[in-house]
Amino acid sequence: MAPLHFNHFQGSKVRLAAPCPEDCMRLSRFTDDYGYLRNLDTDIAVPLTPDETGSSSVRRDNGFEFSLRTLEDNRYIGFTALYRIEWNNRSARLAIAIGDEKDRGKGYGSDALALIMRYGFHELNLNRIALEVIEYNETAMQAYLKAGFQVEGRQRSAVLRDGRHYDLISMSILAEEWSKQTELPLSFQSTRANVSNEPSLNIDQFQRAASVSTSGSGAASEPLSTTSENTSVQPRIGVGAVIVNDRREVLLVWRNREPEQFTWSIPGGKIDPYESAETAVIREIKEEVNLDIAIDRLLCTAETIQPDQQEHWISLLYSTRIIGGVARNLEEGGAIGEIGWFPLDDLPSPLACFAVPGLDAVKKMYFGE
């Protein structure tokens, strides 16, 4: 039987390419952006010449750096790297950056993150990928958490910016966690026991906590079990929002992972303990697509049952309207690959089962179908 091959260099939106001299020129221009440098690392912010950028330092540091190029027009948009690789421990550090602000929030970063993680765990046979992020870089933290990274700890007051100290957050993901999340195989068996039972920190807990929490497990980063042994699956309660604009277009998101992976769905998520359903849907929409919404009415309920994925969701779907914000993907690198507005009478496919009852109810409101 022929082996199954993955194209580790190409995703759905970007590809990993070898750095070239022209990329150094572009990367140098990125460093003229003060905000870009302030999020990139903890070093002194200073513009770099083309000779000071590039992959030479990464390769001297026992690593691999790639340029990120769009599939659509082969345009250079940033870089990603696995560096400080310890082959004896099978561990590495991750760096990733999208240089131009206009290229952010379009799914390029999430696609690149998925590619470099797959390259690290499949091609390099790593067991651990780690990174650090400054606590004020909330967009990056959300992306890493949604991609399955877990918070390990923080270096208190490690970064001084404009007279204020900020913590440096340490995060990592293990090969077994990544494999269970993506359902892609590994070429080795981890010697670490009970990975799926380890406590993790979800986004809601992270944003509310003043320090690192070590309790609870959120749906965003919880690995999916591949067997039913020692597992008691209980129905989970979720919410979803059908958001329609003045042009009768509905906002849909592309699901990068289970439940209902690789489908178009409405934005939404789970209800936290002691949280009302209406509060949950307003919070989830703000966290996922940057919109402030008001609820018009409860449309219907939806039930998603997937025994093979050990998923059972009962969801409340709401008709909502926008009262503030501009739609933007805040889960880049995580569950949402991209977002888009689609005419109610010309919806894309495949649609998530979760979304269909709500979309049908809204179409009846507008078209009387």
Side-chain angles (χ1 to χ4, degrees):
M1 179 181 295
L4 177 64
H5 294 288
F6 295 97
N7 187 345
H8 292 309
F9 296 147
Q10 183 168 310
S12 61
K13 290 178 173 290
V14 301
R15 66 183 180 91
L16 305 181
C20 62
E22 292 79 9
D23 296 342
C24 294
M25 294 290 294
R26 179 72 170 167
L27 186 57
S28 174
R29 287 196 292 271
F30 290 159
T31 66
D32 291 335
D33 183 339
Y34 189 68
Y36 168 85
L37 289 173
R38 279 294 182 98
N39 285 328
L40 187 63
D41 57 37
T42 62
D43 206 351
I44 296 172
V46 59
L48 302 175
T49 68
D51 290 340
E52 293 171 323
T53 66
S55 61
S56 58
S57 61
V58 171
R59 290 180 177 173
R60 284 198 304 269
D61 204 18
N62 192 25
F64 299 84
E65 180 176 349
F66 298 94
S67 292
L68 297 176
R69 292 190 171 275
T70 60
L71 294 184
E72 182 180 14
D73 52 11
N74 199 38
R75 183 166 49 87
Y76 175 81
I77 60 171
F79 72 92
T80 185
L82 291 169
Y83 65 105
R84 295 185 188 173
I85 298 178
E86 298 177 359
W87 295 111
N88 56 321
N89 296 318
R90 292 171 48 204
S91 68
R93 300 186 67 80
L94 168 68
I96 185 169
I98 304 296
D100 199 321
E101 186 174 2
K102 68 180 177 62
D103 289 323
R104 299 169 196 159
K106 296 184 176 180
Y108 295 140
S110 61
D111 197 35
L113 184 59
L115 275 175
I116 195 64
M117 289 168 64
R118 193 172 70 185
Y119 183 84
F121 290 127
H122 266 187
E123 186 70 18
L124 303 182
N125 288 321
L126 297 174
N127 183 58
R128 180 177 184 270
I129 296 176
L131 56 85
E132 292 178 339
V133 58
I134 306 171
E135 66 173 324
Y136 60 67
N137 193 352
E138 296 179 358
T139 299
M141 285 190 291
Q142 289 184 13
Y144 297 139
L145 286 165
K146 289 294 184 180
F149 281 82
Q150 296 188 25
V151 174
E152 295 182 326
R154 60 175 66 211
Q155 300 174 43
R156 296 178 301 161
S157 298
V159 182
L160 177 62
R161 294 281 159 84
D162 302 324
R164 178 178 173 182
H165 281 96
Y166 297 90
D167 293 350
L168 191 62
I169 311 299
S170 300
M171 309 177 74
S172 74
I173 185 170
L174 303 181
E176 188 172 349
E177 295 166 343
W178 173 84
S179 177
K180 288 181 179 179
Q181 179 171 287
T182 60
E183 298 186 345
L184 294 175
L186 293 174
S187 60
F188 63 90
Q189 180 65 41
S190 173
T191 57
R192 183 173 180 268
N194 299 322
V195 171
S196 62
N197 293 326
E198 290 288 326
S200 63
L201 189 69
N202 68 20
I203 287 180
D204 303 331
Q205 293 167 323
F206 180 82
Q207 290 178 334
R208 290 196 296 263
S211 59
V212 173
S213 168
T214 57
S215 63
S217 179
S221 58
E222 179 180 352
L224 297 176
S225 174
T226 56
T227 71
S228 59
E229 183 175 314
N230 298 324
T231 301
S232 178
V233 178
Q234 298 292 330
R236 306 167 78 179
I237 308 300
V239 289
V242 181
I243 307 171
V244 181
N245 62 20
D246 294 337
R247 298 184 298 275
R248 293 191 177 184
E249 296 171 328
V250 63
L251 182 65
L252 299 179
V253 301
W254 178 256
R255 294 285 308 168
N256 264 348
R257 66 174 69 140
E258 298 294 350
E260 303 203 70
Q261 186 179 27
F262 304 141
T263 61
W264 287 102
S265 185
I266 59 176
K270 67 180 180 67
I271 301 177
D272 284 343
Y274 311 113
E275 182 181 39
S276 71
E278 292 191 354
T279 299
V281 73
I282 291 172
R283 172 184 55 77
E284 285 285 352
I285 300 314
K286 184 64 175 178
E287 291 177 353
E288 287 191 355
V289 293
N290 193 45
L291 292 177
D292 298 305
I293 60 170
I295 296 172
D296 289 330
R297 54 174 287 194
L298 175 64
L299 287 169
C300 58
T301 61
E303 192 167 27
T304 305
I305 301 176
Q306 296 180 314
D308 56 330
Q309 300 296 333
Q310 297 190 14
E311 293 282 357
H312 185 176
W313 287 88
I314 300 170
S315 301
L316 305 175
L317 307 187
Y318 292 90
S319 172
T320 67
R321 65 183 185 277
I322 299 172
I323 60 175
V326 177
R328 183 163 60 92
N329 184 4
L330 297 184
E331 296 196 359
E332 187 173 333
I336 297 177
E338 58 182 299
I339 67 174
W341 293 97
F342 298 90
L344 274 171
D345 57 356
D346 187 20
L347 296 176
S349 63
L351 289 172
C353 295
F354 156 76
V356 170
L359 293 170
D360 287 345
V362 166
K363 284 195 287 185
K364 288 180 180 178
M365 292 169 52
Y366 281 92
F367 307 117
E369 297 181 3

